[in-house]
Amino acid sequence: MTKEKEMAKVQKIEDLPGVGPAMVDKLGEAGYKDVMSIAAASVGELRDATGMGEAAAKKLIMAAQDSCDMGFETGTEVMKKRELVGKLTTGSSEFNKILGGGVESQAITELYGKFAAGKTQLTHQLSVNVQLPVSEGGLDGKALYIDTEGTFRPERINQMASALNLDTEEALANIMVGKAYNSDHQMLLAEKAGEMAKTENIKLIVVDSLMGHFRSEYVGRGTLADRQQKLNRHLATLGKIADSRNLPVVITNQVMAQPGLLFGDPTAPIGGHIVGHKSTFRLYLRKGKADKRVAKLVDSPHLPEAECLFSITENGVSD
Ligand code: ADP
Ligand code: MG
């Protein structure tokens, strides 16, 4: 970056051209609290949220993008950043294999599946595994767990940590749990997570589940666009943390039945296309026989579609 461009970088919304105090308030009320969230917004979203004209919205987004380095970078720069990607073990070597080594940092990985498919178990296991040294498949850091369904269980962490010969008290102390009471609170927790990741050695962020609150709050309210807009912002926040802090973000998603569908998978993750587009990796989990589970990599930018078997036992996730 050139010196002038560095100077031109603005950190606060009020420093963006054409943004006065009244606009700062309006943007804040609509949930746009930092320059990044504006940079990630669409023209329509900003226009609806603030009542500004289309041209003004476009200008504002471009100014925000400029100050967030959202322009071009060379392939070499991209490669350099890719070299820093960490891979977090799932606890199953078969599962790791279909992921090309493990759950990647600098990415959002979506685990979707029906009730009891193992989504929550896997996020617990990853919260323990992240604490392992890199040589053992961990990322040598702490986990931050946003729990929207009240299903985080310290007892389960104890079992999984013991199975790995980790100190159970330490393992629990290394997981920060934020219980989200509604979708607004969930979004706030994600923003806080970004702040915390700057000072704490956080190497994993979990949101279990992503859509629970959004789904129940927006049911039958005819405000689907509003929901998708918030969701879009929430995922942008998470994606930005994954990128800037070089950590994996893992989100879970329930599937809903699509009874009208005659061909293909009768279930699909909820949240619509936004979740799909913002997740780098999508994994479909389903129950097999007894403690067996099937994981299918459905979407990845550089890996083939693949399926594997793994187990969930008292000791946690294994082959
Ligand atoms: P979801 O995909 O709905 O989040 P979970 O991850 O909560 O599903 O999976 C629940 C399943 O995990 C249970 O039905 C059970 O099969 C398994 N499970 C949970 N706890 C244990 C345990 N202590 N020992 C063995 N299996 C367990
Ligand atoms: Mg669950």
Side-chain angles (χ1 to χ4, degrees):
M1 202 192 317
T2 63
K3 256 277 172 301
E4 305 91 89
K5 248 184 126 184
E6 189 104 61
M7 305 266 288
K9 268 186 93 163
V10 300
Q11 305 293 337
K12 289 189 184 142
I13 291 182
E14 50 264 48
D15 299 331
L16 289 168
V19 177
M23 186 54 78
V24 172
D25 288 348
K26 243 187 217 170
L27 287 164
E29 266 165 41
Y32 299 96
K33 294 186 182 114
D34 56 22
V35 178
M36 182 62 204
S37 62
I38 293 175
S42 73
V43 173
E45 280 169 22
L46 271 196
R47 197 190 46 210
D48 294 348
T50 63
M52 67 170 64
E54 185 153 327
K58 221 178 253 175
K59 219 169 122 190
L60 188 58
I61 290 168
M62 279 171 64
Q65 289 181 348
D66 272 350
S67 72
C68 289
D69 288 331
M70 283 174 76
F72 287 101
E73 53 186 345
T74 64
T76 324
E77 283 165 333
V78 177
M79 187 65 210
K80 256 194 205 148
K81 213 175 142 213
R82 284 287 308 161
E83 281 164 9
L84 298 176
V85 166
K87 311 225 169 161
L88 171 58
T89 180
T90 57
S92 152
S93 56
E94 290 300 309
F95 202 156
N96 290 345
K97 220 183 278 167
I98 69 165
L99 288 172
V103 179
E104 281 194 2
S105 67
Q106 296 176 30
I108 297 180
T109 297
E110 177 189 1
L111 308 173
Y112 71 98
K114 288 185 207 162
F115 167 73
K119 304 179 294 292
T120 296
Q121 297 301 310
L122 204 58
T123 55
H124 277 64
Q125 186 72 61
L126 292 170
S127 302
V128 174
N129 292 357
V130 71
Q131 305 179 33
L132 294 167
V134 174
S135 60
E136 291 171 36
L139 296 173
D140 209 1
K142 301 181 182 185
L144 195 150
Y145 199 109
I146 301 179
D147 181 13
T148 78
E149 300 187 329
T151 50
F152 178 81
R153 289 291 175 278
E155 300 89 321
R156 208 50 193 120
I157 298 295
N158 273 337
Q159 290 175 330
M160 291 170 175
S162 303
L164 290 171
N165 294 319
L166 293 175
D167 181 300
T168 54
E169 264 175 49
E170 216 172 283
L172 277 173
N174 284 333
I175 305 174
M176 334 248 177
V177 184
K179 198 167 170 178
Y181 294 100
N182 54 47
S183 63
D184 283 331
H185 187 214
Q186 180 178 334
M187 291 171 74
L188 196 71
L189 287 174
E191 279 163 33
K192 277 198 179 149
E195 286 307 307
M196 279 170 80
K198 287 180 189 162
T199 52
E200 297 266 353
N201 183 30
I202 291 163
K203 288 291 175 199
L204 170 70
I205 294 178
V206 167
V207 183
D208 181 29
S209 72
L210 179 79
M211 292 296 302
H213 286 311
F214 283 96
R215 177 155 74 164
S216 57
E217 287 165 29
Y218 287 87
V219 114
R221 274 174 46 185
T223 48
L224 199 65
D226 186 29
R227 183 190 88 173
Q228 294 304 80
Q229 185 181 317
K230 277 187 156 183
L231 195 55
N232 189 19
R233 218 156 54 228
H234 185 41
L235 287 164
T237 305
L238 292 167
K240 169 75 180 164
I241 306 170
D243 234 34
S244 61
R245 313 310 312 176
N246 190 23
L247 55 78
V249 167
V250 177
I251 60 179
T252 69
N253 202 354
Q254 299 137 298
V255 295
M256 64 174 173
Q258 293 187 318
L261 204 65
L262 290 178
F263 302 102
D265 191 341
T267 59
I270 55 177
H273 68 281
I274 284 182
V275 182
H277 288 176
K278 296 262 163 154
S279 314
T280 321
F281 298 89
R282 311 194 86 188
L283 284 157
Y284 180 53
L285 304 183
R286 65 185 153 89
K287 260 190 107 144
K289 282 193 187 124
D291 58 6
K292 290 287 179 212
R293 295 292 192 283
V294 183
K296 182 177 181 184
L297 182 66
V298 177
D299 192 10
S300 145
H302 64 282
L303 294 168
E305 243 191 58
E307 219 176 70
C308 77
L309 271 181
F310 69 100
S311 311
I312 299 174
T313 66
E314 174 154 347
N315 286 340
V317 174
S318 60
D319 275 331

